[in-house]
Amino acid sequence: MSAQFGLIGLGVMGQNLALNLDDHGVSVAIWNLEGEWVERFLAGEGAGRRFSHAITLEDLVSMLERPRRILMMIKAGSPVDQTLARLLPLLDEGDMVIDGGNSHYADTERRQAEAAARGVFFVGCGVSGGEEGARRGPSLMPGGDPLAWEPLKPTLEAIAARSEWGPCVSWIGRGGAGHFVKMVHNGIEYGDMQAIAEAWDLLRRRAGLETGELSQIFARWNRGPLESFLVEITARIAAERDPETGRPLVDLILDQAGQKGTGRWTAAVAIELGIAAPTLAAAVDARVLSSLKGERVEAAKVLEGPSSSSSANVEAFVAAVEKALLATRICAYAQGFALIAAASAEWNWDIRLIEVARVWTAGCIIRARLLSDVMNAYATVPPPNLLVADGIRQKLAASHSDWRKVIAEGTGAGIPLPTMSSALAYYDSYRTATLPQNLTQAQRDLFGAHTYRRVDRPDGEPEHTEWK
């Protein structure tokens, strides 16, 4: 019996997507490099369902309806290339291969060209939501040749998360747009997670609050403007107790954050495209510095710093930190959307920013109440930057005073606030009509004859001075 969908890769994400597909009436043929993984799955959670076990890739291809639709959920990099090299000779014109991993967008475009030479569609599809999202409904960001969308649309819409604005999937754009948007999603995720960690640190070290109290505060914040998946799980994490000691589990976790590369890619491409994304880059730097645990322990013994004694008015400080966190989150989103807009223009991807915001409203790691304001901002004439959009601008106006106070108080107490500080500098730079880079340009002209333009002749020819 023919299967409607093929699935390669039976890790946790692959298993959960397989179950999700089956829940929605899609018959699935499964292949995994280690065949015993399929056997265990079919004997466990997959038992009694309509899955077909393909022993070889040839079996998988022969089991599928045409045009064939094959989803790869395997590790990014060489495993994708190796699998694609084996798979392409087996496929026919019009078949579709979907890469659901966190592949680099440039690799995706290279693979699209390879597949297109055989008449096969290669779709780079960002998948967000983690294990639970894959099982119950992820946010999906497919991109590539638009001709592949109609055959995929019914199935992807069926398995995607849903918000009040519909299924959280949309054709993102041409080429590597799908994986690029997922990469930026992860860059924003880095920034948001680091900002939450800084708020956590401020509340502990400056306000003197215990982990149990933080659980209640974050749960309360999640009922207001900061409502989001990441704030929600922070409250849950703070409430979790270690079964061995009875202490809050998070207090026993080593302060070294890992990363898989998407945050670094985001920061790197922002530099390449000339887009300021200091908050996203600061979040990457924070993870790198966290990895230097041994060095930090030794440095703490010899490097001087101020005391982080508790703030006098705890209630007022907690309210101010909430405002600072919201403002920092806004800047992280603003930088991410500016980067997506620049990439779309640079590579003619035709990305609709309102659709990106809509796709992120449910099922993904950075879902947040703020995204409704982002959608409103892009509903008519897109602003040059989210910071000046109606609704968002008002939130910043109501937050920036407390934002400044929190950063001043935290910095004065020696508490590192890389994302909050960089976000405020981004905001202040963007709202400043006259920046000191006139001096920078004068220096460039003096030592390198790079020329400059005059304020009284901004549209005139570049000028050079023989500086005395």
Side-chain angles (χ1 to χ4, degrees):
M1 187 172 65
S2 295
Q4 297 165 294
F5 229 83
L7 178 67
I8 295 174
L10 214 60
V12 175
M13 290 290 288
Q15 288 184 32
N16 284 352
L17 283 169
L19 294 168
N20 189 349
L21 286 162
D22 184 74
D23 286 344
H24 290 88
V26 180
S27 55
V28 183
I30 301 170
W31 180 81
N32 193 80
L33 186 61
E34 299 86 4
E36 61 271 18
W37 289 28
V38 181
E39 294 170 5
R40 283 198 303 267
F41 174 66
L42 295 179
E45 284 193 87
R49 293 176 178 258
R50 296 169 299 171
F51 295 127
S52 303
H53 181 184
I55 305 301
T56 65
L57 277 178
E58 289 79 3
D59 288 342
L60 180 76
V61 170
S62 68
M63 290 176 176
L64 299 175
E65 294 179 352
R66 296 187 181 183
R68 302 177 181 95
R69 297 171 295 171
I70 302 173
L71 173 62
M72 294 193 298
M73 294 301 300
I74 58 181
K75 186 177 179 180
S78 60
V80 177
D81 286 321
Q82 292 168 17
T83 304
L84 188 63
R86 294 178 59 187
L87 190 59
L88 281 178
L90 308 175
L91 300 179
D92 296 318
E93 185 173 346
D95 289 346
M96 285 155 275
V97 180
I98 308 107
D99 177 9
N102 278 332
S103 292
H104 193 278
Y105 70 94
D107 290 338
T108 298
E109 294 203 321
R110 171 177 54 79
R111 292 163 185 149
Q112 286 170 341
E114 293 171 5
R118 293 179 174 269
V120 173
F121 296 107
F122 187 87
V123 176
C125 182
V127 179
S128 180
E131 298 174 15
E132 184 63 20
R135 181 67 187 88
R136 303 298 175 191
S139 171
L140 298 171
M141 293 150 264
D145 190 323
L147 292 176
W149 175 227
E150 287 305 317
L152 291 174
K153 183 177 179 180
T155 301
L156 296 187
E157 286 189 343
I159 67 170
R162 275 173 165 67
S163 72
E164 60 185 285
W165 295 284
C168 292
V169 58
S170 183
W171 194 255
I172 296 299
R174 298 177 181 277
H179 274 146
F180 188 92
V181 166
K182 176 54 167 48
M183 177 193 73
V184 176
H185 164 287
N186 287 17
I188 295 171
E189 177 186 309
Y190 273 51
D192 204 356
M193 291 174 71
Q194 177 60 28
I196 290 170
E198 290 168 25
W200 174 282
D201 205 23
L202 283 163
L203 296 180
R204 284 178 65 90
R205 294 172 61 185
R206 192 64 181 156
L209 297 173
E210 298 295 332
T211 305
E213 296 172 297
L214 294 181
S215 178
Q216 297 173 20
I217 289 169
F218 277 92
R220 185 175 75 244
W221 285 356
N222 196 49
R223 296 189 292 271
L226 284 172
E227 180 188 354
S228 62
F229 174 73
L230 288 170
V231 169
E232 173 193 323
I233 66 169
T234 301
R236 288 166 49 192
I237 287 168
E240 189 77 18
R241 294 277 170 173
D242 173 41
E244 294 182 31
T245 64
R247 294 173 57 192
L249 178 59
V250 67
D251 294 346
L252 299 171
I253 295 176
L254 194 65
D255 57 327
Q256 291 178 298
Q259 54 181 310
K260 291 187 175 179
T262 47
R264 293 197 306 272
W265 295 347
T266 304
V269 77
I271 293 171
E272 291 170 10
L273 290 175
I275 299 299
T279 306
L280 311 188
V284 176
D285 290 341
R287 294 199 189 189
V288 173
L289 283 164
S290 80
S291 70
L292 306 177
K293 177 66 173 179
E295 292 182 36
R296 290 188 289 111
V297 169
E298 293 305 311
K301 299 174 184 177
V302 297
L303 295 180
E304 294 294 330
S307 168
S308 57
S309 57
S310 297
S311 178
N313 190 333
V314 172
E315 186 175 339
F317 187 69
V318 170
V321 172
E322 181 180 10
K323 297 283 186 65
L325 179 54
L326 177 61
T328 303
R329 168 177 284 173
I330 288 171
C331 288
Y333 276 84
Q335 293 164 31
F337 275 91
L339 181 54
I340 293 170
S344 181
E346 177 73 15
W347 296 307
N348 299 312
W349 283 342
D350 299 322
I351 298 175
R352 297 181 62 217
L353 298 180
I354 189 172
E355 277 295 279
V356 173
R358 187 190 67 78
V359 165
W360 290 348
T361 55
C364 78
I365 304 301
I366 63 170
R367 65 166 173 80
R369 181 182 294 191
L370 176 63
L371 283 163
S372 62
D373 292 308
V374 177
M375 289 176 63
N376 289 336
Y378 291 123
T380 53
V381 179
N385 189 295
L386 280 174
L387 299 185
V388 298
D390 289 340
I392 293 175
R393 184 176 71 248
Q394 286 81 352
K395 284 181 170 62
L396 289 167
S399 301
H400 80 89
S401 180
D402 284 325
W403 190 12
R404 297 177 195 283
K405 291 175 184 176
V406 164
I407 291 172
E409 192 166 334
T411 302
I415 299 172
L417 302 171
T419 56
M420 287 189 179
S421 299
S422 65
L424 179 58
Y426 177 79
Y427 172 76
D428 280 339
S429 294
Y430 195 76
R431 69 174 190 85
T432 299
T434 303
L435 290 166
Q437 274 64 46
N438 57 327
L439 174 59
T440 304
Q441 194 61 21
Q443 291 170 329
R444 295 182 73 242
D445 188 58
L446 186 150
F447 66 67
H450 293 293
T451 74
Y452 57 86
R453 296 181 188 274
R454 293 173 58 102
V455 295
D456 53 351
R457 295 190 291 271
D459 297 324
E461 290 297 317
E463 300 185 29
H464 167 63
T465 292
E466 293 296 332
W467 300 85
K468 296 183 176 60

